[in-house]
Amino acid sequence: MSKSFFIQTFGCQMNEHDSEIMAGMLIDKGYVPASDRKDANIVLFNTCSIRDNADKRFFGTLGQLKKKKMAEGENFTVCVTGCMMQQQHVIDTLKQKYPWVDVIIGTHNIHELPDLLDNLYKEKKKQLSVWPEGGDIVEGLPSKRLFKHKAYVNITFGCNNFCTYCIVPYTRGRERSRRPEDIIKEICCLAQDGVKEVMLLGQNVNSYRGEGADKVWDFSDLIRAVNDIEGIERIRFMTSHPKDLSDKLIDCFRDCSKLCHYFHLPVQSGSSEVLKRMNRRYDRERYLELVRKLREVDPDMAISTDIIVGFPGETEEQFEDTLELCREVGYDSAFTFLYSIRKGTPAEKFDDQVPEAIKHERFNRLCDEINSTSAVKNAAYVGRVLDVLCDGPSKRNSRSLSGRTDTFKLVNFKGDPALAGEIVKVRITSSNTFSLEGELV
Ligand code: 5AD
Ligand code: SF4
């Protein structure tokens, strides 16, 4: 009898893509995807440890499976993977409080999942395999894409930046780039399979350095090559570090017609002093200069960011520098986060932690600022006719379709669900803070 599986993913696009790969491997082995967690014989959690609330949500959700595991024993399998598994204190907690978990896998060896399941069933023994560091990049893994017309493509793994608040360099290891030939081959296959939009993924994509047959490729070389692939119509990437944003990359926005005019450029703080303590290796002025250069290429370039509120030692004045920077840039959107202490990072030891009440108060002020700018930016789209890549029925309202503009604006409009995967013309009729409404032209 075939076994069904369900993967629940926490965290970023890297995790989402890892889940697509694990789903692809399981399907190749004859396992069947379940559409609901309740119906699956195998449940796999892909975890995130970027902030404390991600940790807490995982343990809460895992606890919900205990009853079923106790009742069904060997007929129900619980697996856990993702960034949390790269931390010894998490493994210790799992062993002590959740000893009924069957398989634990780290972030560097997800390709082992099918073998670990085989071992579990053959040996009737719990499986734990966590590699402390990434080995050679494993190529050629299958992937069960969420969308037929859009695909994630890893280009780098890991991070060498060691921002003082961040756990990622410890959970994802040192930065490694895939070979350009492997990336191009993968994207050509995706294009043949109907993919129109690729999202190039890495913790820090613009420090990409790929060993090609002829030379070492940088990120702009890679974008130019992807731009030449027939069938691909849109190129996006995530995430960039301002310290590595080169003029060569900015020139790609002039030269590469498929490169979307949307730039996610995490600033983290608008205060040069805070940026220094975060080890970000750029200052406020340099960041604003980059924004200016991007807007020189295209005044309508959409820009979004990540901001941390309440980093240790952040004063009211330094926080106001962040508010002021947001006003100056005019972000299309921003992900805002309360600073969260992460075990093992340098900032854990900083002794001037900001009190929770102050963090929350600043957070609310920042959200008000960001949301009002987003609403103004979106309102400027009303009346325009735009190309929208239709994703299919909207998540919020199944009688409506939704899709994204080149600038990554979410657009809702009425139409035939068969338009999923097509680039259609939509006239924008009204705007909200986080989305646009429109009608097919
Ligand atoms: N606390 C709060 N936010 C964090 N981020 C990373 N680490 C932390 C932390 N310890 C945020 C950063 C990063 C985004 C993915 O998560 O803004 O860009
Ligand atoms: Fe974390 Fe900084 Fe690396 Fe981003 S660049 S993953 S914030 S250490």
Side-chain angles (χ1 to χ4, degrees):
M1 200 183 74
S2 62
K3 281 199 152 98
S4 61
F5 70 90
F6 185 86
I7 304 181
Q8 190 163 344
T9 310
F10 299 83
C12 65
Q13 286 92 353
M14 306 285 253
N15 268 16
E16 274 175 34
H17 188 41
D18 283 350
S19 292
E20 290 182 337
I21 291 171
M22 289 185 285
M25 289 188 297
L26 292 178
I27 291 168
D28 277 7
K29 281 278 189 173
Y31 297 96
V32 182
S35 49
D36 198 298
R37 201 174 83 189
K38 292 197 306 294
D39 306 327
N41 316 113
I42 303 172
V43 171
L44 189 149
F45 290 121
N46 191 1
T47 63
C48 168
S49 45
I50 196 86
R51 283 171 295 275
D52 185 39
N53 53 3
D55 280 23
K56 285 202 184 109
R57 266 180 61 214
F58 161 64
F59 281 121
T61 316
L62 182 61
Q64 292 164 9
L65 296 188
K66 182 173 179 183
K67 223 162 123 192
K68 182 164 176 174
K69 179 70 194 167
M70 294 301 122
E72 299 188 13
E74 280 177 22
N75 296 326
F76 180 54
T77 306
V78 180
C79 311
V80 290
T81 182
C83 288
M84 287 179 72
M85 302 311 131
Q86 294 298 136
Q87 296 170 278
Q88 190 54 47
H89 67 94
V90 173
I91 302 288
D92 295 342
T93 305
L94 284 172
K95 283 184 176 164
Q96 278 163 17
K97 298 195 179 148
Y98 306 83
W100 40 270
V101 168
D102 296 292
V103 179
I104 301 177
I105 328 171
T107 57
H108 301 298
N109 54 318
I110 56 168
H111 57 277
E112 291 189 320
L113 173 64
D115 289 345
L116 293 172
L117 283 172
D118 280 353
N119 294 349
L120 171 79
Y121 299 135
K122 267 194 236 131
E123 299 167 7
K124 310 236 174 282
K125 208 173 103 210
K126 308 237 173 268
Q127 303 288 315
L128 178 137
S129 180
V130 177
W131 298 0
E133 262 294 332
D136 290 341
I137 293 171
V138 182
E139 291 293 343
L141 295 176
S143 168
K144 169 83 179 81
R145 290 196 305 277
L146 216 52
F147 291 98
K148 181 107 188 74
H149 57 281
K150 294 198 292 193
Y152 291 129
V153 177
N154 286 322
I155 66 163
T156 67
F157 299 93
C159 181
N160 288 346
N161 290 322
F162 292 94
C163 301
T164 53
Y165 50 80
C166 187
I167 194 79
V168 169
Y170 310 91
T171 61
R172 289 277 176 178
R174 294 294 58 73
E175 187 178 289
R176 287 150 292 144
S177 294
R178 281 178 77 194
R179 277 191 300 273
E181 288 84 359
D182 291 331
I183 298 172
I184 299 299
K185 196 168 106 195
E186 179 178 345
I187 299 177
C188 288
C189 290
L190 290 169
Q192 276 167 11
D193 195 37
V195 166
K196 291 188 178 154
E197 178 180 300
V198 284
M199 167 82 88
L200 308 177
L201 285 182
Q203 300 299 343
N204 183 8
V205 284
N206 41 21
S207 67
Y208 175 80
R209 288 276 175 282
E211 289 281 345
D214 50 342
K215 60 169 186 179
V216 175
W217 292 38
D218 67 16
F219 187 48
S220 59
D221 297 326
L222 189 64
I223 295 219
R224 284 173 194 272
V226 178
N227 197 62
D228 288 338
I229 297 177
E230 207 176 310
I232 296 299
E233 300 194 32
R234 287 181 167 187
I235 306 168
R236 301 188 186 278
F237 55 82
M238 186 77 97
T239 290
S240 300
H241 194 302
K243 82 172 165 56
D244 297 311
L245 207 187
S246 65
D247 289 348
K248 260 178 101 183
L249 175 58
I250 295 176
D251 285 342
C252 289
F253 286 95
R254 288 200 177 88
D255 304 338
C256 301
S257 59
K258 298 174 181 175
L259 185 58
C260 290
H261 283 204
Y262 166 72
F263 210 116
H264 182 66
L265 192 60
V267 67
Q268 313 299 358
S269 167
S271 153
S272 294
E273 288 148 56
V274 174
L275 288 170
K276 197 157 190 187
R277 276 184 289 124
M278 288 177 162
N279 190 31
R280 291 290 289 177
R281 287 178 278 170
Y282 55 85
D283 60 12
R284 176 192 175 92
E285 282 64 42
R286 171 71 184 145
Y287 184 90
L288 288 170
E289 185 191 343
L290 292 171
V291 170
R292 242 184 341 267
K293 284 184 176 178
L294 289 169
R295 293 251 164 86
E296 259 166 39
V297 177
D298 176 5
D300 289 335
M301 177 89 66
I303 300 180
S304 65
T305 199
D306 291 344
I307 299 172
I308 297 177
V309 176
F311 184 74
E314 182 190 69
T315 63
E316 171 61 23
E317 206 179 3
Q318 289 167 341
F319 170 69
E320 282 171 16
D321 285 345
T322 300
L323 281 181
E324 180 52 39
L325 176 129
C326 291
R327 278 181 214 116
E328 208 168 323
V329 173
Y331 287 112
D332 289 81
S333 61
F335 299 94
T336 48
F337 307 107
L338 291 164
Y339 170 70
S340 165
I341 300 180
R342 303 286 66 206
K343 255 202 188 91
T345 60
E348 182 200 6
K349 315 249 155 35
F350 294 180
D351 52 14
D352 41 3
Q353 302 288 334
V354 174
E356 286 301 310
I358 295 181
K359 271 200 241 179
H360 282 271
E361 185 259 341
R362 287 180 189 164
F363 184 83
N364 292 339
R365 281 157 68 200
L366 180 63
C367 289
D368 288 347
E369 173 63 40
I370 295 289
N371 290 347
S372 67
T373 310
S374 298
V376 171
K377 289 267 165 185
N378 284 351
Y381 278 73
V382 176
R384 290 174 61 185
V385 174
L386 302 167
D387 285 338
V388 173
L389 175 54
C390 178
D391 287 330
S394 151
K395 273 192 211 147
R396 295 218 166 165
N397 171 4
S398 58
R399 281 173 307 167
S400 178
L401 301 177
S402 73
R404 298 272 177 179
T405 65
D406 170 278
T407 55
F408 205 59
K409 301 284 178 191
L410 178 66
V411 185
N412 300 307
F413 56 99
K414 293 268 183 303
D416 185 341
L419 289 174
E422 300 297 320
I423 295 182
V424 292
K425 297 255 180 240
V426 177
R427 176 175 293 106
I428 306 303
T429 49
S430 65
S431 67
N432 312 306
T433 305
F434 303 111
S435 63
L436 303 171
E437 307 297 321
E439 56 194 22
L440 278 171
V441 177

